[in-house]
Amino acid sequence: MSISVDGMTVGQLHAHIEQLYNIPASNQKLLYKGQILRAENSLVSAMVPSNSKVLLIGTPRAELAKFQEQMTRRQQGQINNAKYRANAASLYRTHDPLGTSDEYGFGSFEALPISHRQNEALSMLQKLARDQGVKEIMQKHKYRVGVLRELHPQERTILGYNRNRGQVIALRLRTDDLEGFRDYLNVRRVLMHELAHMVWDEHDENFHQLNRQHCKEVVDLDWSLRGRTVGTAMDYYEPQTDDAQNVDGGSLKSSGFVLGGTVPHLPADSSEHSPDAKRNLAYTAYKKRSSSSS
């Protein structure tokens, strides 16, 4: 940019740049040959020869506000995660809270012991179980899931998992900073993926075909019960084959290793270090406490 600085002081130049580019004067640095122009009341022409280049370093207000918002959310996320770790032994769990006696469905629901919006997390799990399309899929395919669980917030590389073909299904409900929740339909799509692991462990063509079937049925079955014409208000979600690994890496055995992968060579007593064992650390205290109090 080219600016005429005739008769202009350094301070006036700062104000002019702020007006032109919305960069606060307090956040500007003007450098000439590596030296910062600091004398606010001095004429620029006395410090910088005519037609010389001056380097401007500064950030517009909008970018500063965005950065500050990101920092605030990051700090709040750290606080929320610290609270979770401090209270991980207290599991918010409810057995069959829907009061249903269906042969197929979900046995219990577990939301993470994070006081911040904890009830909303539990409500989302229950909403998934009440979803008419989900209920019809569970009945049609005779699926029984022992526990529908909120995924541990530190497992940020996956969106969910299915252990032992329905012993536990875990889903990521919250955003990384734990301040908000993911879109319901996106969470339901992950549930469709995990339900396909009720039958097929590996991400092969059999799995992909069943996953696609689930994603179609969760719309068809829901809308047919309400007497609506299929396809008039919402397109089907077509899961992509290449996306499967980004969801969960495959179904988990009781040992916690991914089926179809190479099982690492570990000492005989290393089961406590398996991924699945680590997942259960946050929940064992609750079970011990429940059994001791009964």
Side-chain angles (χ1 to χ4, degrees):
M1 62 181 177
S2 178
I3 298 176
S4 175
V5 296
D6 291 342
M8 189 178 292
T9 65
V10 174
Q12 290 171 335
L13 178 57
H14 280 302
H16 187 59
I17 292 174
E18 180 174 2
Q19 185 177 11
L20 287 176
Y21 301 103
N22 201 27
I23 301 176
S26 59
N27 293 328
Q28 297 176 27
K29 286 186 178 180
L30 297 173
L31 289 85
Y32 175 65
K33 292 187 175 181
Q35 299 297 317
I36 300 177
L37 305 183
R38 300 182 184 277
E40 294 290 309
N41 296 321
S42 298
L43 291 174
V44 177
S45 58
M47 306 172 68
V48 180
S50 180
N51 296 323
S52 297
K53 290 185 178 180
V54 175
L55 176 63
L56 167 64
I57 299 176
T59 305
R61 280 194 175 87
E63 293 185 20
L64 281 174
K66 183 178 180 180
F67 174 76
Q68 290 170 353
E69 180 183 359
Q70 291 174 341
M71 291 300 297
T72 300
R73 290 179 64 88
R74 180 179 299 177
Q75 291 170 358
Q76 187 61 52
Q78 292 172 346
I79 293 173
N80 290 338
N81 277 284
K83 288 180 179 178
Y84 169 77
R85 289 191 295 271
N87 297 283
S90 301
L91 178 65
Y92 193 77
R93 177 174 176 145
T94 174
H95 294 275
D96 195 20
L98 303 180
T100 62
S101 57
D102 295 341
E103 183 179 4
Y104 306 107
F106 302 92
S108 62
F109 304 85
E110 295 179 354
L112 293 171
I114 304 173
S115 58
H116 183 64
R117 305 179 73 178
Q118 186 176 39
N119 289 336
E120 292 181 54
L122 183 64
S123 294
M124 181 176 284
L125 294 174
Q126 294 175 343
K127 180 179 179 180
L128 287 165
R130 291 191 184 98
D131 188 297
Q132 194 62 50
V134 175
K135 289 173 65 176
E136 292 297 323
I137 286 176
M138 302 296 283
Q139 292 291 325
K140 177 179 179 179
H141 296 275
K142 298 180 172 57
Y143 291 154
R144 295 186 184 91
V145 175
V147 179
L148 184 61
R149 170 184 294 176
E150 181 181 2
L151 186 67
H152 190 291
Q154 294 179 342
E155 296 192 74
R156 297 182 178 180
T157 59
I158 59 174
L159 298 175
Y161 66 81
N162 181 333
R163 188 182 71 209
N164 263 4
R165 294 194 176 186
Q167 180 182 2
V168 175
I169 286 181
L171 303 172
R172 177 189 291 279
L173 304 183
R174 303 179 193 245
T175 53
D176 286 348
D177 59 9
L178 306 182
E179 285 293 292
F181 288 86
R182 300 180 61 240
D183 177 71
Y184 173 78
L185 292 180
N186 287 334
V187 176
R188 191 177 70 173
R189 289 166 185 166
V190 177
L191 176 59
M192 296 301 99
H193 177 110
E194 300 308 337
L195 288 177
H197 281 309
M198 299 290 289
V199 181
W200 306 106
D201 295 318
E202 299 184 33
H203 291 146
D204 56 15
E205 185 51 39
N206 292 319
F207 169 87
H208 295 307
Q209 183 176 353
L210 182 57
N211 188 19
R212 288 191 290 268
Q213 180 181 342
H214 284 165
C215 290
K216 186 174 186 297
E217 288 175 339
V218 77
V219 176
D220 278 351
L221 297 177
D222 191 358
W223 288 1
S224 65
L225 290 175
R226 299 178 183 178
R228 298 177 64 176
T229 302
V230 174
T232 58
M234 176 179 172
D235 294 331
Y236 297 123
Y237 169 68
E238 183 74 15
Q240 301 300 310
T241 301
D242 294 341
D243 292 338
Q245 285 295 121
N246 296 328
V247 176
D248 61 8
S251 181
L252 296 179
K253 298 179 181 179
S254 58
S255 64
F257 292 117
V258 177
L259 292 180
T262 302
V263 178
H265 177 71
L266 297 174
D269 62 350
S270 63
S271 60
E272 64 183 79
H273 300 296
S274 70
D276 203 40
K278 292 178 180 178
R279 286 189 171 105
N280 280 322
L281 289 179
Y283 305 100
T284 53
Y286 167 83
K287 295 177 181 178
K288 291 180 181 178
R289 188 164 56 255
S290 297
S291 60
S292 61
S293 60
S294 59

